[in-house]
Amino acid sequence: MIVKDLLDSCNIENVTSTIMEIASVDESDRLSVKKAHSLYIQRIRSIEPVNTDHVVFGVSFLNDGKETPDALLFSKNEIDESLLSDSMLSTLKNIQSLDLNDIEQILETTTLPSSYAFEFSPWNEILGYELFVPNINSFGADKLLAVIIYEMTFCGFTEEDHQKEVQKLREAIAETESIQSLPEEERKKYYKDVEDVFAEFGYRDTRTEKEKQQEREQMYRETFINHTRKYAILREYLKSL
């Protein structure tokens, strides 16, 4: 099954309503935004998908204590069974019992395949991404398609707008690479220390050391939980091959 199959069989009303929730669209704007997404879905149904040998999964990630739906794209040839089976994550029993040092060690010593952003990818490629049916069932078909559509429309609702944003990205990358090739003293002219940025905007960090430590621990725990969720999805996918 590919994204195009899900798109062709979806209930547009359900998908657009889910997009409104994901994007936290204001009530006053929902009618116009839903209409734009509905027309977009109908239009891209005519696009012929291409095979890219990539697979996309739906996952819920923790972000500042809030569950946030996301879509993870992987190159299929980078999902290595030995990489997953050798992971310390395969032997974990009780995540809650881990202290911060345990979590830091596991995060530093375990490597999972990289997931890729796809909001700048051609739409025919995105429509050709493979889907994993058990993941669709557990995550929810409408929610998965909503997350994918949300990414696809990140640069606009027309091919022209999409290409303009892609060109801006290419120019930004070229500029960054050009700066990186300069001598160190020259490079410094283009960058600011975080302290300078904070000062420029009048921001002062008033957190206590205890609060900083608590936030740091929460960040590591959320990163770790998200890491285990990513691992679980990939492992289930590998078992099906």
Side-chain angles (χ1 to χ4, degrees):
M1 188 175 190
I2 61 174
V3 173
K4 179 66 161 57
D5 298 326
L6 196 61
L7 183 77
D8 288 342
S9 62
C10 79
N11 181 302
I12 293 180
E13 172 64 25
N14 290 347
V15 174
T16 53
S17 294
T18 306
I19 293 173
M20 298 305 99
E21 298 301 323
I22 292 172
S24 299
V25 177
D26 290 339
E27 195 65 40
S28 59
D29 297 326
R30 288 200 170 197
L31 187 61
S32 60
V33 176
K34 281 188 71 172
K35 182 178 180 181
H37 281 89
S38 177
L39 292 173
Y40 175 79
I41 290 173
Q42 295 178 54
R43 187 166 63 251
I44 63 173
R45 278 177 165 172
S46 63
I47 296 177
E48 191 67 27
V50 296
N51 178 33
T52 63
D53 210 28
H54 282 67
V55 57
V56 64
F57 303 95
V59 62
S60 180
F61 278 154
L62 274 176
N63 185 11
D64 287 334
K66 180 182 177 182
E67 294 285 352
T68 305
D70 200 356
L72 299 181
L73 176 70
F74 296 91
S75 172
K76 291 168 64 176
N77 60 17
E78 292 178 4
I79 304 177
D80 191 313
E81 186 166 2
S82 63
L83 188 68
L84 296 179
S85 60
D86 291 341
S87 172
M88 292 176 65
L89 298 173
S90 64
T91 60
L92 288 178
K93 300 298 181 184
N94 185 2
I95 294 175
Q96 300 302 322
S97 66
L98 298 174
D99 62 24
L100 189 57
N101 288 332
D102 294 329
I103 290 174
E104 290 179 335
Q105 181 184 4
I106 294 172
L107 287 175
E108 289 172 1
T109 57
T110 60
T111 304
L112 296 180
S114 297
S115 57
Y116 300 97
F118 58 89
E119 60 265 32
F120 293 101
S121 299
W123 291 341
N124 61 344
E125 290 186 6
I126 297 174
L127 293 177
Y129 293 159
E130 181 183 310
L131 298 172
F132 182 44
V133 174
N135 176 252
I136 297 173
N137 295 335
S138 61
F139 186 73
D142 291 336
K143 189 182 353 180
L144 178 56
L145 189 57
V147 174
I148 293 172
I149 295 295
Y150 184 63
E151 292 294 319
M152 292 178 74
T153 55
F154 180 81
C155 299
F157 291 85
T158 68
E159 288 279 10
E160 182 181 5
D161 288 341
H162 185 81
Q163 288 304 317
K164 285 180 180 178
E165 293 302 317
V166 170
Q167 182 58 34
K168 287 181 184 178
L169 175 65
R170 288 173 178 160
E171 291 171 359
I173 292 172
E175 182 180 6
T176 300
E177 290 175 345
S178 175
I179 293 171
Q180 290 296 330
S181 66
L182 296 173
E184 183 176 355
E185 288 303 315
E186 287 294 313
R187 289 203 305 269
K188 289 180 179 179
K189 297 178 182 179
Y190 294 89
Y191 299 109
K192 293 182 179 181
D193 292 334
V194 65
E195 290 82 6
D196 294 335
V197 176
F198 286 164
E200 184 178 331
F201 288 94
Y203 171 78
R204 288 196 316 113
D205 189 351
T206 59
R207 295 174 300 167
T208 65
E209 287 303 318
K210 182 178 180 181
E211 288 172 335
K212 290 179 182 178
Q213 178 61 24
Q214 288 173 338
E215 290 182 16
R216 176 173 174 270
E217 182 167 348
Q218 179 185 351
M219 180 191 70
Y220 267 95
R221 288 195 177 277
E222 288 191 353
T223 300
F224 180 69
I225 290 171
N226 294 340
H227 203 63
T228 61
R229 291 179 181 181
K230 179 179 176 181
Y231 170 79
I233 288 172
L234 292 173
R235 187 169 187 180
E236 183 181 12
Y237 175 71
L238 280 168
K239 286 181 179 180
S240 70
L241 299 180

